């Protein structure tokens, strides 16, 4: 990943207005944050850097659904870290949902948009259950989004897995 950083920083120096380079850099930060989190290390700095990079990408190219989806993934990762620390992730989950809605407005035929909506609803339902609150609205929103994702791509494994997670959460809530 160090070589990726070096190459991307050179690309940014050569052309600081290339949205794709900033998006790829954000993806590198997201991957590094995922590794840090798996190692029980604090990924917050990497997530913040990823967020800065993706925001720059979106500023340059506001209608790039891939950048919007990565923005949502970074917000979901930040929300997960908050939840692990016992802090409400709901404001970040609302932001992630808003970003996914923007991505849907840009490309309503992309199943990954609906997967992102389903994943943010699943995370909200998990938080509600952990606080002994009703997750019904989040579960219903999540199922509707996943149904749409699978309508567009019936073999989207992540959507199938998220559907299973939503069913499991509904069983826990019952």
């Amino acid at each position: 990943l160090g070589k990726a950083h070096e190459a991307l920083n050179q690309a940014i120096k050569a052309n600081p207005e290339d949205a794709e380079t900033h998006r790829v850099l954000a993806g590198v930060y997201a991957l590094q944050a995922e590794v840090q989190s798996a190692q029980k290390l604090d990924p917050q700095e990497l997530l913040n850097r990823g967020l800065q990079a993706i925001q720059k990408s979106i500023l340059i190219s506001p209608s790039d659904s891939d950048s919007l989806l990565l923005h949502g993934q970074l917000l979901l990762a930040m929300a997960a870290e908050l939840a692990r620390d016992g802090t409400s992730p709901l404001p970040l989950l609302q932001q992630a949902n808003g970003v996914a809605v923007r991505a849907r407005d840009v490309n309503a035929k992309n199943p990954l948009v609906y997967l992102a909506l389903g994943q943010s609803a699943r995370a909200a339902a998990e938080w509600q259950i952990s606080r002994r609150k009703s997750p019904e609205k989040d579960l219903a929103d999540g199922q509707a989004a996943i149904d749409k994702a699978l309508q567009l791509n019936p073999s989207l494994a992540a959507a199938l897995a998220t559907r299973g997670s939503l069913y499991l959460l509904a069983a826990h809530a019952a």
Side-chain angles (χ1 to χ4, degrees), residues 28-174:
V28 170
Y29 282 125
L31 180 58
Q32 286 181 305
E34 188 177 323
V35 169
Q36 285 236 10
S37 185
Q39 295 173 341
K40 307 292 187 217
L41 300 172
D42 184 8
Q44 195 60 49
E45 179 61 30
L46 292 167
L47 290 170
N48 288 336
R49 288 182 183 185
L51 201 55
Q52 289 172 349
I54 202 63
Q55 288 169 338
K56 176 71 174 176
S57 176
I58 292 167
L59 183 66
I60 296 166
S61 182
S63 60
D64 179 24
S65 64
D66 290 337
S67 291
L68 292 167
L69 289 171
L70 182 52
H71 187 192
Q73 288 174 333
L74 286 160
L75 290 168
L76 283 176
M78 293 175 97
E81 289 301 316
L82 286 177
R84 264 191 277 281
D85 293 339
T87 302
S88 174
L90 295 178
L92 281 177
L93 293 174
Q94 289 172 346
Q95 285 181 27
N97 192 66
V99 169
V101 167
R102 279 184 56 206
R104 183 190 62 203
D105 292 345
V106 169
N107 185 357
K109 300 224 182 262
N110 185 345
L112 297 178
V113 167
Y114 301 97
L115 174 61
L117 289 166
Q119 289 174 331
S120 72
R122 184 203 67 224
E126 288 172 344
W127 178 258
Q128 298 295 13
I129 290 169
S130 77
R131 296 299 180 247
R132 302 188 197 286
K133 295 183 179 178
S134 174
E136 289 181 29
K137 181 182 179 334
D138 295 311
L139 291 171
D141 290 348
Q143 285 291 0
I146 294 303
D147 288 347
K148 182 65 177 178
L150 291 170
Q151 178 186 353
L152 293 168
N153 182 350
S155 61
L156 185 60
L160 292 165
T162 302
R163 175 183 271 171
S165 294
L166 289 164
Y167 286 145
L168 182 60
L169 288 169
H172 279 278

Side-chain angles (χ1 to χ4, degrees), residues 8-19 21-22 56 60:
L8 291 165
N9 285 327
Q10 287 175 352
I12 288 170
K13 283 180 185 175
N15 183 2
E17 297 303 312
D18 182 44
T21 302
H22 291 282
K56 176 71 174 176
I60 296 166

